[in-house]
Amino acid sequence: MAVAWQHVIAKSAGHEFDITQLVKLEPARNSVVYGHGLSLAGLDQQTRASRHVGDNPRTFKRPGRCRAYVRQLPAARCAVAPPVATYVGDVINNRTELTMSLSFSLLRAVLLTASLALTTTCPAEEAPLRIGVLNDQSSSTADVTGSGSVVAARLAIEDFGDRVAGRRIELMWADHQNRSDIAAGIARRWIDVDQVSAIVDGGTSAAALAIQDIVREKQKVAMFSGPATSDLTGKACSPFGFHWTYDTYALASTVPRAMAKSGADTWFFITSNYAFGHALERDATAAIKRAGGKVLGGVRHPLGTADFSSFLLQAQASKAQIIGLANSGDDSLNTIKQAGEFGIVEGGQRIAGLLLLINTVHGLGLKAAQGIIIAEAFYWDMDDATRRFSARFEALAKKKPNMIQAGVYSAVLHYLKSVQKAGSIDGPTVSDVMRSLPVDDFMSKNVTIRGDGRVMRDMHLFQVKTPAESKAPWDYYKYLSTVRGEDAFRPVAESECALLK
């Protein structure tokens, strides 16, 4: 995970030097700083080290090469006095890489002169644009959102560039632990104290609904990728809220439809007992009834349940053809594992994971997950563009991205494009521009945003492969079909959102 670095190390002739005091760095905080005037600051894990070794606080070491980066301000914004010496380097993504073949004394002179020039001739720059990733980073859904969403947001900023509308971009993140009260407290503090302009991901549905209330009040932008509840663009919609990747209505209208076509039409639900599970069961039940099916019963469990035996016994006793899982993350994984122990699939019942992400399939293994039908907005192996993004993501996160994390990338990139077009970070102004621009990236091809904030992307149906069908790591899905956005998401005529009236 990227962090804000408290120390800057230069290496010359086999020696390492702490040159932190020569340059202006941000105070220690959970943020990655981009576009710092003229400063020495690494922008990724491969550029710097910051752990003390032994008792000497000025000695640092890290494996591999240790380099430093100098960022130059555009000439139009600031006239920087020429340094006392030239340096050798190559321009890489608008960064000038300073080779450490210079002697330390010369490097010190160059940096000191440059930093003095910055403080004496540069006007004060605009306050930074701050984007916050707020989700679960330590609880039952951390694997499917968590630090992976931070990586995705970082890649979007990297691809856009480190400045927008005259401001440098900062990325912040925090763990709400799947608690709506903590999510609300962090969101309020970010906006009131840290001047955060946009919050992304949201994690779980209950947390997202709390965040939605605050951004509505404060007129800041929220882009939800992890939360599923369709209420975010229904009765809880906001002019400043966007539901980016999927929702309970889309999941409920795609998977049950596919199951009905196979002749299975009786259901029993095992549901997470909070906002997401309730909304998913509600929307799936409506879709099942529209397709002529029946729901024979259901049971609800607390978030983070370890033992599903009593719930599975009730599902088994119902004789329903399909056991629908209106849960996610570790809860889905544990349900399916224990269903295997009870021989439920061998007994003739089928399991439908209404929100089953690739992380859960990876945790289960193909032997346990094979044959399950899944609805997703993204799969890493769909085309060359998704494979390129996924390779970059995996290099940092050490796993393939799921649709939530891909959606975070898409949301942050679209937000930055909208800020650039608006020339402003004002929430209402940027929100209007976001709705006017098509969403276009590796997972979104000219996708529109509806007035309620619903991103009208396509949903895809996949079947989990058998072990014999899988040819490589993470090769888990077999493509079945695509459901167009206008068919997947709740129609305007059924919406409770006041923005569509």
Side-chain angles (χ1 to χ4, degrees), residues 438-458:
V439 183
D440 194 12
D441 52 65
F442 62 82
M443 69 176 295
S444 320
K445 306 304 180 187
N446 221 28
V447 174
T448 60
I449 301 178
R450 206 164 59 183
D452 57 359
R454 175 68 264 164
V455 178
M456 299 298 291
R457 65 176 69 257
D458 295 344

Side-chain angles (χ1 to χ4, degrees), residues 167-228:
R167 302 170 186 266
R168 57 188 171 85
I169 302 167
E170 286 187 19
L171 180 64
M172 302 174 65
W173 60 91
D175 177 9
H176 60 44
Q177 303 168 46
N178 278 337
R179 288 180 52 184
S180 57
D181 58 333
I182 294 177
I186 292 170
R188 192 174 293 279
R189 185 180 73 249
W190 271 359
I191 293 170
D192 291 345
V193 178
D194 295 317
Q195 303 300 305
V196 167
S197 295
I199 295 174
V200 66
D201 193 354
T204 53
S205 293
L209 291 168
I211 295 166
Q212 182 88 307
D213 286 342
I214 290 167
V215 298
R216 186 190 298 108
E217 172 195 344
K218 303 291 186 179
Q219 297 193 354
K220 300 297 182 182
V221 173
M223 300 163 286
F224 300 108
S225 188

Side-chain angles (χ1 to χ4, degrees), residues 76 146 151 316 320 356 358 386 481:
V151 169
Q316 197 172 37
L356 197 64
I358 195 168
T386 60
S481 63

Side-chain angles (χ1 to χ4, degrees), residues 301-437:
H301 65 83
L303 184 66
T305 293
D307 183 2
F308 284 85
S309 57
S310 65
F311 309 127
L312 288 165
L313 286 171
Q314 292 178 65
Q316 197 172 37
S318 75
K319 305 298 183 183
Q321 294 167 297
I322 306 161
I323 300 173
L325 305 186
N327 55 18
S328 64
D330 290 347
D331 288 336
S332 293
L333 187 149
N334 288 330
T335 308
I336 296 170
K337 276 186 176 179
Q338 291 170 39
E341 295 168 6
F342 280 89
I344 284 177
V345 174
E346 289 85 348
Q349 290 175 297
R350 300 172 67 179
I351 293 176
L354 296 178
L355 178 53
L356 197 64
L357 298 169
I358 195 168
N359 311 68
T360 307
V361 174
H362 184 73
L364 284 167
L366 293 180
K367 184 177 180 181
Q370 61 183 309
I372 295 176
I373 304 296
I374 293 174
E376 298 245 25
F378 163 87
Y379 176 49
W380 73 269
D381 199 24
M382 291 190 73
D383 55 39
D384 288 343
T386 60
R387 284 188 283 272
R388 283 193 296 270
F389 167 76
S390 299
R392 294 172 61 206
F393 180 95
E394 188 177 16
L396 296 171
K398 309 307 178 188
K399 60 185 176 184
K400 294 296 186 188
N402 58 39
M403 68 171 173
I404 293 171
Q405 293 153 346
V408 167
Y409 174 100
S410 173
V412 171
L413 186 63
H414 187 78
Y415 172 74
L416 292 173
K417 290 177 181 178
S418 301
V419 170
Q420 183 178 50
K421 183 172 182 180
S424 169
I425 63 172
D426 174 68
T429 302
V430 175
S431 295
D432 288 343
V433 174
M434 289 179 71
R435 283 175 168 82
S436 72
L437 291 178

Side-chain angles (χ1 to χ4, degrees), residues 34 77 96 112 202 213 217 231 237 300 395 401 420 431 462 476:
Y34 291 81
R77 292 191 63 248
T96 302
L112 186 58
D213 286 342
E217 172 195 344
D231 290 342
C237 69
R300 292 178 174 179
Q420 183 178 50
S431 295
F462 301 96
Y476 295 154

